[in-house]
Amino acid sequence: FVTTAEGTDNTLVATGESVTDDDTSLDGTIFSKDDLVLNGLGTINVESTYGNCVISKDDLKITGGTINLTTPQKHGLESNDDLLIADGTITISDSKEGMEGGDVVIYGGTIDIQASDDGINALNSLTINGGVINIDADGDGLDSNGSFTVNGGETYVSGPTNDGNGAIDSGEGYEVVVNGGILIAAGSSGMVEGFSSESTQGAILNTYSSAQTGEVKITDADGNVLASYTPSKQYSAVNITAPGIEEGGTYTLIAGSESTEITMESITYGQGMGGFGGGRGGSFGGFGGNGGQMPDGEMPDFENGERPELPDGEMPKFENGEKPERP
């Protein structure tokens, strides 16, 4: 247990390189071979010049206090097994990966992460039940190698600008399931991933032909704002879910200079598939209202020089300045 007394400001700093003890690399400012609990009502500042800030080789639990973590080289928080966060304020101002664990479960608290790689990395599963989470990551914003479930809380991600990573990422054979809460994740479109049709709350993925900057906002048919967020970097894909997004509803998604009208013909929109359209007025994005499926009908024979008809959405101009006909 590491307990901070109310009203105290404590600092732990490791400036040397790690050593090995019984085949274990002691590469954390706070290091435990057993379960580790951080609690209390005070403040603790943990810094590491070469290694990680806080490591548990078993379970890592955080139940209170204000924790400021700084590590330019490796991880802010790392555990082998259930990384459990129940409350408190956690600020990870500089890290390679902000948090990593076998299973990562967040019940509450206020979490701010700056990461040069992944913001949160779960080796087995990632579950967000509550809290307010802000992530600025150059790698994957939220990355699970297995299941990924959002049941509540507010999560905001300014993800990568490079196409080798995505704002959200679930494991191979898994999808992101949303049952509640707010999640807005903006990033590049090269590795974009949408939401599972097993979700019980409406969820949207939309992509854009050109990079956007500025506020992301979604409103219902009456103009009520359901959720909003301003990413710190440019983005070409937006994942968004919030209470009030439902199957059958019509919504307006504003992302930078683009405004897209979306009709939720299923519980999810886009589903991570690239293509044209994204609803009326949309630029390049997921296949609009048909839930991510290709439009019905056979493609015309290209050998005779005909062009295929495309779903609604703006196309770049051809060399002669003409655009193909659209339905």
Side-chain angles (χ1 to χ4, degrees):
F1 290 84
V2 178
T3 303
T4 55
E6 185 175 5
T8 63
D9 193 323
N10 312 273
T11 300
L12 294 174
V13 181
T15 58
E17 296 187 15
S18 62
V19 297
T20 299
D21 176 30
D22 297 330
D23 297 325
T24 300
S25 180
L26 307 178
D27 56 348
T29 305
I30 299 177
F31 184 98
S32 174
K33 293 183 179 180
D34 209 326
D35 293 344
L36 176 63
V37 178
L38 304 182
N39 61 14
L41 298 174
T43 296
I44 186 168
N45 307 292
V46 184
E47 301 179 19
S48 178
T49 303
Y50 296 101
N52 304 283
C53 284
V54 180
I55 292 183
S56 166
K57 290 302 180 182
D58 210 325
D59 291 347
L60 173 60
K61 299 181 180 180
I62 298 174
T63 60
T66 297
I67 304 172
N68 300 308
L69 305 174
T70 302
T71 168
Q73 297 291 327
K74 294 189 177 180
H75 303 154
L77 300 173
E78 180 180 340
S79 72
N80 272 15
D81 296 331
D82 300 322
L83 168 55
L84 306 176
I85 300 175
D87 203 348
T89 300
I90 301 173
T91 302
I92 303 176
S93 58
D94 188 8
S95 68
K96 182 178 180 181
E97 290 191 343
M99 297 181 181
E100 182 175 76
D103 298 320
V104 178
V105 184
I106 300 173
Y107 293 98
T110 300
I111 302 169
D112 290 283
I113 297 174
Q114 294 276 338
S116 62
D117 196 354
D118 296 347
I120 298 178
N121 188 349
L123 303 180
N124 301 319
S125 68
L126 172 61
T127 305
I128 301 175
N129 295 316
V132 178
I133 305 167
N134 283 278
I135 295 175
D136 189 325
D138 294 332
D140 295 327
L142 297 166
D143 184 10
S144 174
N145 293 337
S147 63
F148 185 162
T149 306
V150 180
N151 295 317
E154 297 180 30
T155 305
Y156 306 99
V157 178
S158 182
T161 57
N162 68 83
D163 283 333
N165 293 284
I168 61 174
D169 184 21
S170 63
E172 184 175 355
Y174 295 88
E175 296 178 299
V176 182
V177 177
V178 179
N179 300 311
I182 294 173
L183 170 65
I184 303 178
S188 59
S189 57
M191 299 291 288
V192 71
E193 180 175 349
F195 298 96
S196 171
S197 59
E198 298 298 316
S199 299
T200 59
Q201 177 173 284
I204 293 168
L205 163 66
N206 208 38
T207 59
Y208 302 89
S209 58
S210 60
Q212 301 296 312
T213 58
E215 185 181 32
V216 175
K217 179 171 64 176
I218 190 163
T219 61
D220 62 16
D222 296 324
N224 299 310
V225 177
L226 303 181
S228 64
Y229 168 60
T230 302
S232 62
K233 302 187 293 289
Q234 67 179 26
Y235 54 91
S236 55
V238 170
N239 296 90
I240 188 167
T241 180
I245 302 178
E246 301 173 347
E247 184 174 351
T250 299
Y251 306 90
T252 300
L253 175 61
I254 299 171
S257 62
E258 297 284 346
S259 178
T260 307
E261 186 176 312
I262 294 170
T263 298
M264 298 291 292
E265 296 187 5
S266 63
I267 197 67
T268 57
Y269 172 96
Q271 294 193 358
M273 300 186 67
F276 303 109
R280 288 182 290 168
S283 55
F284 291 82
F287 287 118
N290 58 1
Q293 304 299 316
M294 288 289 291
D296 293 333
E298 297 182 357
M299 294 292 285
D301 184 0
F302 279 83
E303 293 181 359
N304 62 12
E306 293 180 345
R307 292 174 181 162
E309 291 188 349
L310 299 167
D312 194 8
E314 186 176 349
M315 286 287 295
K317 292 184 178 180
F318 286 81
E319 293 182 357
N320 61 6
E322 296 179 353
K323 294 181 180 179
E325 292 184 357
R326 293 176 289 159

